[in-house]
Amino acid sequence: MTKKILTALFTILSILTNLVYGQNLEMYKIFTGQGKASDWKELVKNASKSDIVYFGEQHNDPICHWLQLKMAQELLTSSNQKLVLGAEMFESDNQRTMTEYLEGLISQKNFETEMRL
């Protein structure tokens, strides 16, 4: 076979493979605390009944960060605009600096310098 024919066959095979399998990829799976498969709607339903929701993650995982955003949006909608988010990436000994920044007592530049970002 010539190189052009092989290239064309490979291209067609690649396109067909993407059409058949590309739409079935799962970005994430959700399980209950007992290890049973669950789904997003059930997770949001249960989370919206809770006072505190801890959303663990692996850093630099874009799917997890996307899920965190989606969960925050869902909870904000279901809580009538009463939602508080915590950010665990700040050290507890920086609480005073965090409070000062949130209260408008220090500038963003000072905040970034003092928080060891």
Side-chain angles (χ1 to χ4, degrees), residues 25-103:
L25 294 176
E26 293 183 53
M27 293 185 293
Y28 60 88
K29 291 184 181 183
I30 296 174
F31 296 92
T32 66
Q34 293 74 35
K36 295 181 182 178
S38 187
D39 63 24
W40 181 253
K41 287 182 181 182
E42 188 69 21
L43 177 63
V44 171
K45 178 181 155 187
N46 289 330
S48 67
K49 296 176 188 176
S50 301
D51 291 329
I52 296 173
V53 175
Y54 174 77
F55 203 118
E57 71 163 45
Q58 294 202 4
H59 296 294
N60 299 322
D61 180 350
I63 299 298
C64 188
H65 294 159
W66 174 73
L67 288 170
Q68 289 170 330
L69 172 63
K70 293 300 173 190
M71 177 63 75
Q73 290 170 333
E74 295 270 3
L75 292 176
L76 181 62
T77 300
S78 68
S79 69
N80 296 319
Q81 308 299 316
K82 297 177 183 175
L83 180 67
V84 176
L85 296 176
E88 54 77 28
M89 71 284 271
F90 297 112
E91 302 294 332
S92 61
D93 64 333
N94 284 330
Q95 182 62 52
R96 182 177 181 158
T97 304
M98 173 71 77
T99 301
E100 289 173 348
Y101 175 70
L102 293 173
E103 291 178 354

